[in-house]
Amino acid sequence: MMNENSVAILPSAPTLVRNRDVEHGFRQDSDFTYLSGFNEPESVIVLIPNRKQGEFILFCRDRDPKKETWDGRRFGMEGAVEFFDADDAYPIDDLEEILPGLMEDRESVYYSIGLNPDFDKHVLKCVNDLRAQSRRGARVPYEFVSLEYLLHDMRLYKGREEIALMRKAAKISVQAHINAMKACQPGVNEYELEAEFLFEFKRNGADWAYSSIVGGGENGCILHYTENSAELNDKELVLIDAGAEYQGYAADITRTFPVNGKYTVPQQEIYEVVLEAQNAAFEKVKPGNHWNDPHNAAVKALTKGMVEIGLLKGKPAQLIKDGSYMKYYMHRTGHWLGMDVHDVGDYKVDDNWRLFEPGMVLTVEPGLYIPAGSRGAKRWWNIGVRIEDDLAVTKNGYDLLTKGLPRTVEEVEAVMTS
Ligand code: GLY
Ligand code: MN
Ligand code: MN
């Protein structure tokens, strides 16, 4: 996909200090993992089409027995070639010396400026070094092209191996949600349920794909609640949005269930409306339909349901047109899912919603949130419900990656009391 006479440059993710001598756990940049599988910081991928000596160059940290004793093993240049199929590997410390030569006489540079300002400086220095050598005939690349544009379109279409990893991430997450349903009872703290997830993720060689959201009662109405520090009360709901990341691929699942194992009547009313909306959205996930079809179907079902139970008054079509439904449904119905939980890939192409094609993976996650104080809705105060599942588009429809996790009222209550 790259121009014949070009070079692509991609740095690894930076490390980040958490506090004093402690760093945040290192998470490789998703594009970097996608292209190389190489999981070390301080490394750079350089791709050079048609380079006779090899097209894939990896800059990385040199072996260093003393440092490795303190901070862990490194592959070094030999490992980069042996295990990651690099055609050439160089020490990262030599980057500024070697990179100008690799860019010389190349017309285009695929590099995403602005994402990593520290690394931008290295790239700019290399370009300027080349400029300084123009009198000896060095040619400076004349265009910079965003690498993301090509790469993210590739990442949108998942291959068979990628779907298999996503299925595994989903499976681990499904089990964790079931464990949490079983562990839940009045008096348990939100963080205790969060612990069920971390335990299940870790014991399967996975990690979290994003900070788990465990919100009991009114906290379920806060979309990105992550404090997870309140006690769970009898007769309230708990909303859990949590998913694993397995070998770089994410799951993203939400369930909302009664703390004591049995939905109250008002809770069930809201739940059934959201479930209906999710089913309506599922139906729209198939090749030929476009990105916004599931959202439109969910909005329609939610609004109709809200009118039927009396949460909204008026004609559904009008309530959709004037946006009244957004009082209780203020987010969209999903996003692409992949290496990043909100994965890359354009939602529109040439100003039109993108059509679904096999290999795309998305979430479908309608919800309703009715905080205390909502006028005319006292019966439903502090009820927040979201149901979220992960779907891979197939030739004829979709494959539910998150299958096996209770979704209906009956299924949830059965698991909680078993
Ligand atoms: N967990 C983030 C989301 O559902 O989009
Ligand atoms: Mn989501
Ligand atoms: Mn989610």
Side-chain angles (χ1 to χ4, degrees):
M1 294 164 87
M2 292 167 62
N3 298 342
E4 223 166 273
N5 195 19
S6 64
V7 52
I9 304 168
L10 181 68
S12 61
T15 54
L16 194 61
V17 172
R18 179 177 182 272
N19 56 306
R20 281 183 67 86
D21 289 344
V22 182
E23 285 185 351
H24 280 282
F26 180 71
R27 164 59 159 79
Q28 186 58 285
D29 175 81
S30 296
D31 286 339
F32 200 99
T33 300
Y34 184 76
L35 287 180
S36 70
F38 194 69
N39 198 31
E40 293 185 20
E42 295 183 77
S43 32
V44 176
I45 293 170
V46 179
L47 302 179
I48 311 179
N50 310 315
R51 178 174 171 268
K52 278 199 261 346
Q53 311 91 302
E55 300 181 313
F56 169 28
I57 295 169
L58 193 58
F59 288 86
C60 61
R61 301 175 304 185
D62 211 345
R63 299 289 311 266
D64 183 333
K66 207 161 137 198
K67 284 213 170 109
E68 287 181 60
T69 298
W70 284 88
D71 301 326
R73 295 188 180 89
R74 301 172 172 189
F75 277 102
M77 280 87 73
E78 298 77 15
V81 171
E82 184 176 349
F83 299 108
F84 297 89
D85 285 341
D87 295 310
D88 270 325
Y90 301 111
I92 187 70
D93 291 337
D94 295 348
L95 181 80
E96 287 191 355
E97 230 168 274
I98 297 172
L99 192 54
L102 298 175
M103 290 163 91
E104 187 173 342
D105 292 334
R106 296 271 150 183
E107 290 169 2
S108 327
V109 178
Y110 289 87
Y111 175 68
S112 299
I113 284 178
L115 296 180
N116 183 339
D118 282 335
F119 191 75
D120 286 351
K121 285 185 214 149
H122 292 294
V123 175
L124 296 182
K125 174 158 190 327
C126 292
V127 174
N128 279 330
D129 285 354
L130 269 185
R131 278 204 182 99
Q133 296 172 37
S134 61
R135 260 164 302 164
R136 70 153 174 81
R139 249 184 41 195
V140 186
Y142 66 77
E143 65 172 3
F144 270 70
V145 186
S146 165
L147 177 61
E148 299 165 288
Y149 184 72
L150 299 180
L151 207 45
H152 292 181
D153 209 61
M154 292 174 70
R155 278 179 52 192
L156 176 58
Y157 298 87
K158 277 77 179 171
R160 210 153 17 128
E161 297 91 340
E162 294 183 285
I163 299 272
L165 293 175
M166 295 192 74
R167 208 184 293 286
K168 173 89 181 190
K171 196 168 173 201
I172 295 165
S173 311
V174 162
Q175 186 58 51
H177 275 269
I178 291 172
N179 296 350
M181 287 176 186
K182 287 182 187 290
C184 187
Q185 55 176 312
V188 164
N189 199 291
E190 290 166 349
Y191 52 65
E192 293 180 76
L193 295 191
E194 181 181 7
E196 293 288 338
F197 285 84
L198 298 178
F199 179 67
E200 191 64 28
F201 295 168
K202 284 286 185 185
R203 67 194 288 262
N204 283 286
D207 211 329
W208 44 268
Y210 52 94
S211 303
S212 303
I213 295 168
V214 183
E218 61 184 330
N219 297 334
C221 296
I222 302 170
L223 297 181
H224 291 160
Y225 174 80
T226 49
E227 288 167 52
N228 303 351
S229 57
E231 196 171 294
L232 296 166
N233 302 316
D234 197 20
K235 300 207 173 64
E236 288 187 344
L237 291 173
V238 56
L239 182 156
I240 303 186
D241 184 343
E245 179 178 293
Y246 183 74
Q247 292 190 12
Y249 287 82
D252 183 8
I253 306 180
T254 307
R255 284 295 181 270
T256 311
F257 52 89
V259 171
N260 68 10
K262 179 117 187 72
Y263 292 90
T264 65
V265 173
Q267 287 167 357
Q268 183 164 351
E269 286 168 347
I270 300 297
Y271 194 89
E272 301 281 11
V273 171
V274 177
L275 186 65
E276 184 74 26
Q278 201 197 27
N279 285 331
F282 280 2
E283 294 265 303
K284 299 290 180 185
V285 178
K286 57 177 157 204
N289 281 358
H290 65 62
W291 168 255
N292 216 37
D293 283 327
H295 180 65
N296 287 340
V299 165
K300 221 165 147 183
L302 288 171
T303 309
K304 181 167 164 278
M306 284 192 276
V307 170
E308 276 168 10
I309 64 172
L311 176 56
L312 284 182
K313 298 203 168 30
K315 290 224 160 27
Q318 183 58 35
L319 297 168
I320 291 171
K321 205 163 151 201
D322 64 23
S324 306
Y325 72 91
M326 291 173 93
K327 183 170 177 201
Y328 301 120
Y329 184 48
M330 60 299 277
H331 60 76
R332 295 195 47 90
T333 306
H335 48 82
W336 301 130
L337 181 69
M339 304 187 85
D340 295 307
V341 62
H342 291 175
D343 207 30
V344 296
D346 288 336
Y347 292 95
K348 278 191 170 178
V349 180
D350 298 333
D351 235 22
N352 295 313
W353 291 113
R354 184 161 210 144
L355 296 178
F356 288 122
E357 292 176 61
M360 295 174 172
V361 180
L362 66 150
T363 68
V364 174
E365 49 178 308
L368 288 177
Y369 312 89
I370 307 141
S374 303
R375 273 215 288 158
K378 190 149 189 210
R379 171 183 180 75
W380 299 287
W381 279 4
N382 291 330
I383 293 180
V385 172
R386 177 163 68 255
I387 313 174
E388 174 174 31
D389 286 276
D390 305 341
L391 288 70
V393 182
T394 60
K395 225 161 55 185
N396 303 313
Y398 65 87
D399 183 4
L400 187 63
L401 300 180
T402 43
K403 58 173 141 292
L405 182 56
R407 208 162 62 87
T408 65
V409 163
E410 296 72 30
E411 287 167 354
V412 171
E413 290 184 348
V415 160
M416 293 189 73
T417 50
S418 67

